[in-house]
Amino acid sequence: MAFMRKSKFRHVFGQAEKRDQGYDGIRVTRTSWESTYCAVNPKFVAVITEAAGGGAFLVLPLSKVGRVATDHPLVAGHKGAVLDIQWCPHNDNVIASASDDCTVKVWQIPDKGLDSNLNEPVVDLLGHQRRVGILAWHPSAQNVLASAGSDNKIILWNVGTGEAMVETELPDFALSMSFNYNGSRLACTAKDKKLRILDSHTGSIVKEGKCHEGAKPSHVCYLKDGQLLTTGFSKMSERQYALWSEKDLSKPVSLEEIDSSNGVMFIFYDQDTNMIYLCGKGDSLIRYYEVTDEAPYVHYLSLYQSNSPQRGIGFMPKRGLNVNANEIARFYKLHNNGLCEVITFTVPRKSELFQDDLYPDTASDTPAISAEEFFDGKNADPILVSLKEALQPSQKEQLKVVRRSNILDKMPSRSSTIQSNNAPAAAAPSVQSALPPKLPKDFDAAAIMREIADLRKKVKDQDERISELEGKVAAFTEVSDPDTSTNVDDGRDGDANDD
């Protein structure tokens, strides 16, 4: 008998926002390079666009939804096609771009977005001899950027000074890169089907192992607990994912086949909830998993499915999510028709309070160390911040408790308590006052009844006497009035004569 595994993310569901809440009319790049083409942060969304005679990408404030004008300003300083873009985790206005023109450029975006084309970068990073296709920012050190190119080199830059500080040459060019939690290690997959872990301070290879055996590109993501997750293809071109331990790359901890599609799988990892989202190029669905310490370690949760394939996709950092709606992930999906669709993933909860289990402290935008400290050999975990301050109170009328004393918040005096216990009869004066008074012992009901009968007889005698007196008064009045008596007699005589 199979038992369902308990998980607070078992009921996570994805829902696409309405079309008018997305960004329409974007000329998405047509390059064949395996990239997400999209990068987002709490302020902006950036999309690599098609540009004649060079490379460019579009930057829009998140609030500027709707159709994008055809003449909207672009970041257009590259001479070749832009292959990858990545927002700086410590400055929401800084973005780096890698291009086919062998350069890496870092740009400063104004808070309100672009008013005109931006052609001058803050710094040019020149060191690669062939196209640069992969970028990765250091998670805790300021101004540290890693880049990988088709010249088989991985370079770590100090963006503040524009210097190449660490350089590593691989047997083949890298296909993906990922820093570990504190940035002391850098994992990469290469075209030679190898998975490698580098020391980010020296560039030396620490571990190396055989990765997926398929010829198509594989991707890697460093997990928080010292594990790595890779996606790739088998010899039979079946898509698969594998979980590895950084201590031993000779064989995977877990290996699972997904399907037989041919789209490259991109990995998006939420280190706060330990959830992994797999998005395939050209797929119309997003699969999501939870990584735990229990076998098989990577547990399938569910999937989001739509009718349109995704050409590219962007993943919002935790700082940009809607805590009020229990949103744990948000994707920006690029369609072939130029639409950038917003997809939100939420955990259904009835309570409107802050959900501590869904939102543990997450990485802030404050760097833990400087670039100089990092290249001197220092490591530091990212500085964490609570998302509770981002919770907006509900518009519904809430119960407000005022801390003040009321009638119940009083201790009765000890003397009154003792008195009430010893004299229970005196404790209810209101009840006794409602009862009729007690009758005297010498009370004679028969005597009272005789007195009542005598009173009734007296009243009756008085009534008869009063009636007799009223009759005498009336007779006396008729005799003393001659007119009245004459008229009466005449009337009587007349009546007799008539008879």
Side-chain angles (χ1 to χ4, degrees):
M1 182 177 180
F3 292 94
M4 185 171 292
R5 188 182 64 89
K6 289 185 178 181
S7 174
K8 56 192 171 187
F9 304 111
R10 190 160 55 91
H11 300 291
V12 171
F13 69 97
Q15 185 174 9
E17 298 288 341
K18 295 181 180 179
R19 190 182 183 96
D20 58 358
Q21 297 300 313
Y23 311 87
D24 204 353
I26 302 174
R27 295 176 298 168
V28 183
T29 179
R30 298 178 183 175
T31 180
S32 59
W33 182 253
E34 299 295 347
S35 174
T36 58
Y37 303 149
C38 182
V40 294
N41 68 8
K43 282 187 177 181
F44 302 101
V45 54
V47 180
I48 301 175
T49 58
E50 186 71 18
F57 60 94
L58 177 71
V59 177
L60 295 171
L62 290 183
S63 59
K64 196 173 182 180
V65 297
R67 190 164 190 87
V68 180
T70 55
D71 58 347
H72 193 280
L74 301 172
V75 181
H78 285 285
K79 296 180 181 178
V82 177
L83 302 180
D84 194 16
I85 50 177
Q86 295 292 332
W87 288 102
C88 177
H90 305 126
N91 191 335
D92 291 338
N93 296 82
V94 173
I95 187 171
S97 59
S99 173
D100 203 4
D101 61 6
C102 310
T103 66
V104 177
K105 298 180 185 292
V106 181
W107 312 84
Q108 179 87 19
I109 307 298
D111 286 330
K112 296 182 179 179
L114 299 177
D115 296 329
S116 60
N117 284 353
L118 183 60
N119 299 315
E120 293 298 326
V122 176
V123 60
D124 277 313
L125 305 179
L126 306 175
H128 290 280
Q129 298 176 355
R130 298 186 67 182
R131 66 180 181 183
V132 187
I134 307 170
L135 296 173
W137 288 94
H138 194 282
S140 59
Q142 185 181 23
N143 294 333
V144 176
L145 177 67
S147 63
S150 298
D151 54 359
N152 303 348
K153 290 182 180 180
I154 294 178
I155 301 177
L156 268 72
W157 305 85
N158 183 346
V159 176
T161 60
E163 298 176 277
M165 306 299 294
V166 178
E167 185 174 324
T168 301
E169 187 166 354
L170 303 176
D172 213 332
F173 67 86
L175 299 173
S176 68
M177 293 187 303
S178 177
F179 280 101
N180 67 344
Y181 183 65
N182 63 2
S184 60
R185 295 287 186 268
L186 179 66
C188 66
T189 56
K191 192 178 180 182
D192 61 357
K193 305 176 185 178
K194 292 286 186 71
L195 172 63
R196 296 178 176 87
I197 299 177
L198 311 178
D199 186 334
S200 57
H201 297 287
T202 62
S204 59
I205 298 176
V206 179
K207 295 286 183 180
E208 181 177 332
K210 189 74 173 178
C211 196
H212 299 276
E213 298 179 351
K216 295 180 181 179
S218 59
H219 285 254
V220 62
C221 179
Y222 228 122
L223 307 185
K224 189 176 181 179
D225 54 359
Q227 294 179 314
L228 301 99
L229 187 89
T230 60
T231 58
F233 295 81
S234 66
K235 284 184 177 180
M236 304 300 293
S237 295
E238 296 172 328
R239 293 197 297 190
Q240 53 186 202
Y241 68 81
L243 184 69
W244 308 79
S245 173
E246 64 179 356
K247 299 178 181 178
D248 183 13
L249 299 183
S250 60
K251 61 178 181 179
V253 177
S254 175
L255 177 65
E256 294 290 338
E257 292 184 356
I258 302 175
D259 54 25
S260 57
S261 298
N262 58 2
V264 175
M265 300 286 289
F266 295 103
I267 308 170
F268 298 96
Y269 174 57
D270 183 358
Q271 62 186 9
D272 300 330
T273 59
N274 239 20
M275 287 185 62
I276 291 173
Y277 303 84
L278 300 184
C279 308
K281 198 76 170 289
D283 290 357
S284 58
L285 49 85
I286 300 173
R287 298 176 176 88
Y288 41 101
Y289 304 79
E290 184 180 8
V291 181
T292 66
D293 298 332
E294 304 173 356
Y297 308 108
V298 182
H299 304 274
Y300 172 78
L301 293 174
S302 186
L303 57 83
Y304 165 81
Q305 191 165 8
S306 63
N307 297 326
S308 303
Q310 52 217 15
R311 180 164 179 77
I313 199 159
F315 186 62
M316 174 66 75
K318 213 60 175 291
R319 295 182 292 112
L321 300 182
N322 184 2
V323 180
N324 288 64
N326 295 334
E327 183 184 19
I328 62 170
R330 187 189 305 167
F331 288 90
Y332 289 73
K333 174 182 173 180
L334 299 180
H335 293 245
N336 291 321
N337 59 2
L339 172 66
C340 180
E341 183 183 38
V342 182
I343 304 172
T344 61
F345 286 81
T346 56
V347 178
R349 294 281 176 90
K350 291 183 178 180
S351 174
E352 295 183 356
L353 300 178
F354 180 74
Q355 306 297 317
D356 301 84
D357 58 334
L358 299 182
Y359 301 103
D361 292 350
T362 189
S364 69
D365 57 353
T366 303
I369 56 176
S370 64
E372 290 75 14
E373 291 175 324
F374 169 75
F375 289 115
D376 287 340
K378 185 177 180 180
N379 294 318
D381 291 342
I383 296 177
L384 303 181
V385 63
S386 174
L387 296 177
K388 192 170 185 178
E389 298 179 356
L391 180 68
Q392 300 294 330
S394 174
Q395 299 297 326
K396 298 180 180 178
E397 186 176 354
Q398 297 182 351
L399 175 65
K400 295 182 180 179
V401 180
V402 181
R403 296 185 62 86
R404 65 183 181 185
S405 179
N406 55 43
I407 191 171
L408 301 178
D409 191 23
K410 293 181 181 179
M411 283 289 293
S413 62
R414 186 170 181 79
S415 59
S416 62
T417 305
I418 296 173
Q419 182 180 2
S420 62
N421 292 334
N422 296 335
S430 59
V431 177
Q432 293 202 6
S433 62
L435 295 175
K438 291 184 178 180
L439 299 174
K441 294 181 179 180
D442 56 350
F443 177 75
D444 188 357
I448 297 297
M449 295 301 294
R450 287 194 298 271
E451 290 182 5
I452 294 174
D454 293 341
L455 290 175
R456 287 179 177 175
K457 187 175 181 303
K458 288 181 180 181
V459 171
K460 184 179 180 181
D461 293 343
Q462 294 293 338
D463 288 341
E464 292 177 354
R465 182 171 178 76
I466 291 172
S467 299
E468 182 181 356
L469 292 174
E470 288 179 349
K472 291 180 178 182
V473 171
F476 177 77
T477 303
E478 292 177 357
V479 173
S480 62
D481 189 355
D483 296 334
T484 306
S485 59
T486 304
N487 294 335
V488 173
D489 294 340
D490 294 342
R492 289 175 181 175
D493 295 341
D495 294 338
N497 294 332
D498 291 338
D499 291 339

